[in-house]
Amino acid sequence: MPLKLMYITKEPAVAQIAETAGVDRIFVDMEYLGKAERQGGMDTVKNRHTLGDVRRIAQAIETAELLVRVNPIHAGGKDQMSSEEEIKKAILQGADLIMLPYFKTVEEVEACIRYVDGKAKVIPLLETPEAAEAVDDLLTLSGIDEIFVGLNDLSLGYGKKFMFELLSDGTVEDLCYRFKKAGLPYGFGGIAALGRGALPAERIIKEHYRLGSTCAILSRSFCNTEKVGHLGVISETFVNGIREIRQFEQEVQVHSSYFSSNEAEIKEIVKNIL
């Protein structure tokens, strides 16, 4: 099975291009609470998409699923919706999947499941050491459809210098083993276009297959629409980039015997980067 590819955007035209090129899920990112503080000074993507963006993307796409990352579980305030209101409104605007970020307890995921109330799929985003510690209890919950490992924040939580250290030190492998044992679909991290990235995308894709992952985010560097404004260029980037990834996946499925050497090479690349 090819990886389900996800791309973050609030632009309907870009969403349609991505969908046509073969992206499986369009990702609207409403998370902002606490994100700037914990990722301050880092060159990370900090979106602040809105419910209006959810509605516009839902109206623009036809075959791709619409995934919405909401904020961590929180109470409402004078100028802020509660998690319950935010999740329910995201579903009303067209979300097919709700991703809960930066949780630390099983109770937070239980709350998300309760607020979704079976009206969308639930994907916890495991990106804190506390969540990793509680993973076995988490996997006993009814109502989780998939789980995703967020390498950026999880690496920060563990005090790592480079997020892909979690691939080389066995952290992701251990989590994937637990997900697989529980029979839950899972994914992790992001991938760039082939031939790009500090850790080349080819290496990461091989790890997805070795570890049984089912999905990945196309990173900002795959197609940075803030730098490339021409829709024709964006379309060409998506069509060519997705085609190359799918062709490479076919090779990986046939030649799985090189997984062990790829694992060793990743450890060496990460070591050299550090």
Side-chain angles (χ1 to χ4, degrees):
M1 283 287 289
L3 293 170
K4 290 183 179 180
L5 299 176
M6 305 183 280
Y7 184 75
I8 299 175
T9 185
K10 67 173 184 177
E11 302 298 335
V14 174
Q16 289 175 340
I17 287 171
E19 176 184 56
T20 301
V23 170
D24 303 283
R25 291 172 173 172
I26 305 301
F27 188 144
V28 175
D29 185 12
M30 293 176 59
E31 183 192 7
Y32 70 92
L33 291 176
K35 194 164 188 176
E37 290 78 7
R38 66 180 186 265
Q39 296 183 358
M42 299 180 66
D43 183 25
T44 54
V45 179
K46 301 178 184 68
N47 301 300
R48 191 166 177 171
H49 298 168
T50 67
L51 288 168
D53 295 322
V54 176
R55 182 181 66 255
R56 283 185 285 274
I57 295 297
Q59 293 171 344
I61 61 178
E62 295 182 354
T63 58
E65 292 181 297
L66 175 52
L67 184 151
V68 177
R69 177 162 60 190
V70 294
N71 282 290
I73 296 296
H74 61 280
K78 181 180 179 182
D79 300 311
Q80 181 177 290
M81 290 183 290
S82 67
S83 282
E84 181 174 8
E85 186 178 5
E86 183 179 74
I87 288 169
K88 289 183 175 180
K89 285 189 174 182
I91 294 170
L92 283 174
Q93 296 301 330
D96 299 305
L97 308 100
I98 295 293
M99 177 178 277
L100 177 69
Y102 212 72
F103 65 92
K104 296 183 178 182
T105 67
V106 172
E107 289 74 21
E108 290 169 276
V109 179
E110 286 180 313
C112 179
I113 293 169
R114 188 166 63 251
Y115 299 152
V116 169
D117 193 27
K119 295 179 174 63
K121 293 179 180 178
V122 174
I123 306 180
L125 178 58
L126 192 157
E127 53 183 350
T128 67
E130 294 89 344
E133 183 68 24
V135 69
D136 290 331
D137 290 333
L138 177 71
L139 294 174
T140 65
L141 292 182
S142 175
I144 297 176
D145 296 280
E146 299 179 27
I147 193 162
F148 199 85
V149 180
L151 299 183
N152 202 354
D153 276 314
L154 188 58
S155 65
L156 288 176
Y158 281 127
K160 304 292 185 180
K161 296 179 180 178
F162 180 46
M163 65 179 176
F164 287 116
E165 282 186 76
L166 299 179
L167 275 185
S168 66
D169 69 6
T171 299
V172 172
E173 181 164 9
D174 178 66
L175 290 170
C176 289
Y177 169 77
R178 293 167 187 268
F179 303 153
K180 188 173 184 178
K181 188 177 178 181
L184 196 65
Y186 52 91
F188 60 86
I191 55 175
L194 296 191
R196 294 164 65 180
L199 181 61
E202 291 90 332
R203 300 291 183 203
I204 300 172
I205 290 171
K206 289 179 186 179
E207 278 295 274
H208 276 276
Y209 274 80
R210 183 178 76 85
L211 298 174
S213 169
T214 59
C215 59
I217 299 171
L218 293 172
S219 65
R220 175 176 52 177
S221 64
F222 177 87
C223 184
N224 191 341
T225 56
E226 293 180 0
K227 295 182 177 179
V228 181
H230 193 290
L231 291 179
V233 176
I234 292 172
S235 179
E236 182 180 13
T237 300
F238 269 98
V239 169
N240 292 338
I242 297 295
R243 183 181 66 246
E244 290 172 357
I245 287 173
R246 294 310 189 196
Q247 289 174 346
F248 185 73
E249 285 183 280
Q250 291 177 6
E251 176 188 332
V252 172
Q253 291 178 57
V254 173
H255 300 289
S256 60
S257 59
Y258 57 28
F259 283 162
S260 59
S261 62
N262 183 70
E263 182 184 4
E265 287 164 2
I266 284 178
K267 291 180 180 179
E268 187 64 25
I269 292 170
V270 171
K271 179 181 176 182
N272 291 335
I273 289 172
L274 293 174

